[in-house]
Amino acid sequence: MEQAIQQTNIRKGLTKLVIPIFIETLLIMMLGAVDTIMLSQYSDESVAAVGVVNQIVMFAFLVFEVINIGTSVLCSQYLGAKMQKNMIQVVGVSLLLNLVVGVLISIILHFGATTLLGWMGLRPELLKYGIGYMEIVGAFAFFQAISLTISASLRSANKAIYPMLVTVLVNIMNIVGNYSLIFGKFGMPALAAEGAAISTSVARGVSMIVLFIILFRKHIPSFPLAYFRPFPWIELKNLLKVGLPSAGENLSYSFSQVVITYLINMLGNNALATRTYSVNIIMFVYLFAIAMAQGGAISIGHLVGQKKIRAAYLLGKYVMRLSILVSLVLSCIWAAGGHFIFSLLTDNEEIIRLGVTVMIIDVVVEIGRAVNIYATNALRSAGDVNYPFYMGFTVQWTVSVGFSYLLGIHWGWGLAGMWCAFLLDENIRAILFVRRWNSLKWAKKGFVK
């Protein structure tokens, strides 16, 4: 009876975390989707170019996750164990590191835009849109580095409502800015893709400033110098111990997508545009799974910090079942309405036909993806950071990339063949991750001793 009450209370706490994380994640996805939707009214070429740029930029952003994943895991476990000083040290070290890394990446993306897009094989008619967009968005990448760190800290302290509210503000700014600068409204110049880049960058800058204000007023009033003298090398070591393999798995996945985007580019502009449209549509299918996984990971981290392993195990199983159910229902709805959705975005019949095919195949992809999103977050939050990296790296490159080339290029199945490769990749990894969670091998890998 007592255990049932405890599980009920844990699930109520999870719900309070998941709802604001869900809304925040939805709005973050909308930030990218708004660029795509508005640019689709301009040209399919601008959509294809921005899709390639965003693949590179998101890959770069994953470097920030080396620190941010560690921040979330360590703060969750330290807060569960009531180790306030350690938590403040972790956040301080995280902000410093991501500022340095963020500035370096901003320099690389801005000054290396032409070179990087050339490596991606972008054709001249797309380069004119891609270079300007990437130079602007890349120059201010460090805004995102800082914002992600602060958001991770706030969420780990059960203050997810604040990043959500900031994201609401950012989306309103981005929509107004895009409308003004893409199409030349309200007396602004019509800048197409570059206008979308300016709008997105300004919105991210405002987000960073507001999050800093919230951090100091609602979570950590100050960072006492005494906490950082001598420098807390043990917390840096723990951040990297969690972050390097965790971000390594994300980087592996993202880089595999860069390679796959290169392969899709070989299929032509229609396939590339279809992929960009499809990715932005499908994001809303696994949105709930992301929110559940992030909320579940924070709750599991708290429970592991409190040494409540059985409760953490049961919560993980609950998160997985609910994530699969919602993702499956949504993917079926998306597949049924595929023709209507793509018809709203483009009048190109080949893109619409390809998009509908992708939506149907994706129904099975989302079953595995829901499990993988949950499992990687849950295992990391418990301190089991190496297994997701090893499994992710091995299966992503052998199955996702290898079979994308084999099915899509070599056997000529095109974009549909590549989506079949994604289906195999996601579901093979899902089986391996479920076995790992059920084994309870993660139970002794926490950071609170």
Side-chain angles (χ1 to χ4, degrees):
M1 182 65 180
E2 184 180 345
Q3 188 178 33
I5 294 172
Q6 184 187 49
Q7 282 295 314
T8 301
N9 291 335
I10 289 170
R11 290 180 184 183
K12 285 181 179 178
L14 175 64
T15 302
K16 290 179 181 179
L17 269 173
V18 167
I19 291 173
I21 290 175
F22 175 84
I23 296 171
E24 182 192 357
T25 308
L26 170 64
L27 294 172
I28 288 171
M29 288 182 174
M30 284 297 296
L31 199 61
V34 163
D35 287 358
T36 301
I37 292 167
M38 289 192 171
L39 285 171
S40 72
Q41 307 306 307
Y42 189 84
S43 72
D44 287 331
E45 286 78 13
S46 64
V47 170
V50 169
V52 174
V53 172
N54 281 335
Q55 193 71 61
I56 297 171
V57 172
M58 293 310 294
F59 175 70
F61 280 2
L62 285 175
V63 176
F64 308 148
E65 293 300 306
V66 171
I67 304 303
N68 294 330
I69 293 171
T71 303
S72 182
V73 171
L74 292 175
C75 285
S76 295
Q77 291 194 18
Y78 287 152
L79 286 168
K82 303 187 186 306
M83 297 166 66
Q84 185 75 7
K85 177 181 176 181
N86 298 75
M87 184 273 295
I88 293 174
Q89 288 175 327
V90 166
V91 177
V93 172
S94 299
L95 286 170
L96 176 62
L97 282 177
N98 259 354
L99 174 62
V100 174
V101 174
V103 169
L104 288 174
I105 286 180
S106 292
I107 293 170
I108 292 169
L109 290 177
H110 177 75
F111 292 104
T114 303
T115 302
L116 291 169
L117 291 175
W119 288 349
M120 291 296 292
L122 214 61
R123 285 172 285 280
E125 68 271 20
L126 302 185
L127 273 174
K128 63 181 181 180
Y129 298 111
I131 291 174
Y133 185 88
M134 186 165 174
E135 285 180 341
I136 296 168
V137 170
F140 300 100
F142 69 93
F143 288 165
Q144 192 74 351
I146 299 300
S147 295
L148 288 170
T149 301
I150 299 172
S151 293
S153 171
L154 290 168
R155 283 196 296 267
S156 69
N158 292 333
K159 300 181 188 295
I161 186 73
Y162 296 113
M164 181 204 78
L165 293 174
V166 172
T167 309
V168 171
L169 170 66
V170 167
N171 270 266
I172 294 171
M173 289 184 60
N174 192 54
I175 290 169
V176 174
N178 273 358
Y179 182 70
S180 304
L181 292 169
I182 292 175
F183 304 110
K185 303 296 182 180
F186 307 123
M188 296 292 183
L191 299 175
E194 288 186 11
I198 293 170
S199 174
T200 299
S201 298
V202 170
R204 284 175 175 158
V206 172
S207 171
M208 180 189 71
I209 293 168
V210 175
L211 282 169
F212 257 123
I213 294 170
I214 293 170
L215 177 71
F216 288 123
R217 290 188 177 181
K218 299 293 183 180
H219 184 31
I220 302 174
S222 65
F223 291 90
L225 287 178
Y227 286 10
F228 300 91
R229 292 179 177 174
F231 188 81
W233 294 105
I234 185 64
E235 302 306 343
L236 174 60
K237 179 182 175 182
N238 285 337
L239 278 170
L240 297 177
K241 185 177 179 180
V242 177
L244 286 174
S246 299
E249 193 270 335
N250 287 343
L251 285 166
S252 171
Y253 176 80
S254 187
F255 188 51
S256 72
Q257 292 303 302
V258 170
V259 174
I260 289 167
T261 301
Y262 176 82
L263 296 176
I264 293 172
N265 188 45
M266 293 168 62
L267 299 174
N269 288 354
N270 283 341
L272 198 57
T274 303
R275 186 254 175 207
T276 302
Y277 285 130
S278 298
V279 166
N280 280 279
I281 294 166
I282 291 166
M283 282 194 305
F284 295 99
V285 172
Y286 57 83
L287 165 63
F288 181 81
I290 290 174
M292 281 294 291
Q294 290 183 356
I298 292 166
S299 296
I300 288 168
H302 290 163
L303 292 168
V304 170
Q306 297 165 14
K307 303 298 183 183
K308 296 178 179 179
I309 301 302
R310 178 68 179 172
Y313 170 76
L314 293 175
L315 181 63
K317 299 284 282 187
Y318 170 75
V319 169
M320 181 182 70
R321 290 195 300 268
L322 200 54
S323 298
I324 292 172
L325 176 62
V326 175
S327 292
L328 185 58
V329 170
L330 289 176
S331 62
C332 288
I333 294 172
W334 259 237
H339 191 278
F340 173 74
I341 295 170
F342 275 88
S343 297
L344 292 176
L345 297 171
T346 180
D347 55 5
N348 186 313
E349 289 298 325
E350 184 182 354
I351 292 177
I352 294 171
R353 179 186 59 79
L354 276 172
V356 170
T357 304
V358 164
M359 289 297 105
I360 293 170
I361 298 170
D362 195 69
V363 171
V364 185
V365 175
E366 297 312 314
I367 297 172
R369 197 196 313 265
V371 176
N372 294 329
I373 292 171
Y374 135 74
T376 52
N377 280 275
L379 290 169
R380 287 171 191 159
S381 68
D384 191 5
V385 294
N386 290 319
Y387 187 83
F389 169 66
Y390 295 141
M391 288 301 101
F393 181 85
T394 303
V395 180
Q396 284 159 11
W397 285 93
T398 55
V399 179
S400 190
V401 176
F403 276 80
S404 285
Y405 175 78
L406 188 64
L407 298 176
I409 306 295
H410 184 70
W411 287 349
W413 293 11
L415 194 63
M418 293 182 176
W419 238 265
C420 289
F422 304 160
L423 183 156
L424 291 172
D425 166 45
E426 296 286 356
N427 285 279
I428 289 171
R429 281 189 288 131
I431 293 169
L432 295 171
F433 283 137
V434 169
R435 291 181 62 186
R436 181 68 171 188
W437 188 254
N438 289 338
S439 73
L440 291 177
K441 291 181 179 179
W442 47 269
K444 296 181 180 179
K445 296 181 180 289
F447 291 91
V448 175
K449 305 301 180 184

